[in-house]
Amino acid sequence: MVAGDHTPLRLVGDEDSSKRRQILDGARKVFMDLGFDGASMGEIARAAGVSKGTLYVYFADKCRLFEAIVEEETLQHGQMVFNSDPERDIPTTLREFGHAYIAMICRPGGGSAIRTVMAIAERMPEVGRRYYERVLDRIINRLAAYLQARVKAGELAIDDCQLAASQFVQTCHASLFLPFLFQAAPAPSAERIAKVVESATRMFLAAYRAKSA
């Protein structure tokens, strides 16, 4: 793969999407089980149930195939939905945001994808950068925009909403994300997520709620 090459990831002629889906599903399993370095095009072809010749028709090499999988993860994660109506009350918005965010990054199977992206980011920095910008940074920006609206309404006292949004996200991670990422614990239950996010919400409001609010 040539550095800086951002050619759209697509099939030759945009045809036979079912075969592409079959290949991506097989490749995802191989990458998650063996990691980027351990995966080979032959192993991927076997897992996908296609010949190596067919595999190369769709993807020129392992890097392009890996990028396609990360692109799918990026699109899926980037679609995280939460109600960011600027008129909505702060505690409810923070709780629902925190729960949706942690449920997304700690979903069963999701840790393998994140670990694989992290492992390859040094070698393929554009992949890591695009994932961060299109998923994590975008999510933080949406929360920061909501916080800024509540600052203007006089309900929050925050000098740097981008920093405050990042702080809330990191507090929601507490005791949930790292154990999950390093396979020290399974995906957290909805009840455990709710407890941690509730604590994060209380801490956030204690630090940033305007005195007059």
Side-chain angles (χ1 to χ4, degrees):
M1 182 181 67
V2 179
D5 179 7
H6 300 303
T7 305
L9 298 169
R10 60 182 178 82
L11 283 179
V12 177
D14 290 326
E15 61 188 14
D16 200 4
S17 61
S18 65
K19 183 66 70 175
R20 184 177 191 271
R21 174 81 271 139
Q22 180 180 339
I23 291 171
L24 289 175
D25 288 345
R28 179 178 283 104
K29 184 178 187 308
V30 173
F31 281 127
M32 296 308 110
D33 289 346
L34 303 179
F36 182 83
D37 290 327
S40 69
M41 292 295 269
E43 188 68 35
I44 290 168
R46 283 191 292 275
V50 300
S51 68
K52 285 183 70 174
T54 298
L55 183 59
Y56 282 112
V57 168
Y58 289 83
F59 297 97
D61 54 37
K62 185 169 68 170
C63 290
R64 300 297 284 176
L65 183 49
F66 182 74
E67 278 201 89
I69 291 173
V70 173
E71 194 76 11
E72 282 199 340
E73 290 287 330
T74 299
L75 290 172
Q76 182 179 22
H77 287 179
Q79 291 170 355
M80 184 191 117
V81 176
F82 82 101
N83 189 338
S84 57
D85 182 346
E87 300 301 320
R88 199 161 181 253
D89 76 279
I90 300 168
T92 299
T93 300
L94 290 176
R95 289 187 194 104
E96 291 189 3
F97 171 91
H99 197 287
Y101 174 73
I102 294 299
M104 178 194 77
I105 65 169
C106 291
R107 77 189 194 283
S112 295
I114 295 172
R115 284 190 293 272
T116 304
V117 173
M118 291 173 65
I120 203 64
E122 185 172 349
R123 189 181 316 170
M124 298 167 64
E126 283 301 314
V127 173
R129 186 176 300 116
R130 286 202 299 275
Y131 180 84
Y132 181 83
E133 290 175 350
R134 296 181 188 180
V135 179
L136 303 179
D137 202 37
R138 183 175 297 176
I139 288 171
I140 290 171
N141 286 341
R142 289 175 61 198
L143 180 58
Y146 169 79
L147 297 178
Q148 186 62 55
R150 304 327 300 156
V151 169
K152 290 181 179 179
E155 296 180 11
L156 295 174
I158 303 174
D159 293 328
D160 186 338
C161 288
Q162 197 77 17
L163 173 61
S166 296
Q167 288 171 334
F168 181 72
V169 166
Q170 292 301 316
T171 308
C172 288
H173 281 186
S175 79
L176 299 178
F177 181 59
L178 290 180
F180 171 72
L181 183 65
F182 290 103
Q183 302 186 67
S189 65
E191 292 76 17
R192 179 61 182 164
I193 293 174
K195 182 177 180 179
V196 173
V197 170
E198 179 63 30
S199 176
T201 300
R202 290 198 305 268
M203 292 174 66
F204 185 90
L205 294 176
Y208 288 122
R209 194 190 291 274
K211 302 303 180 184
S212 58

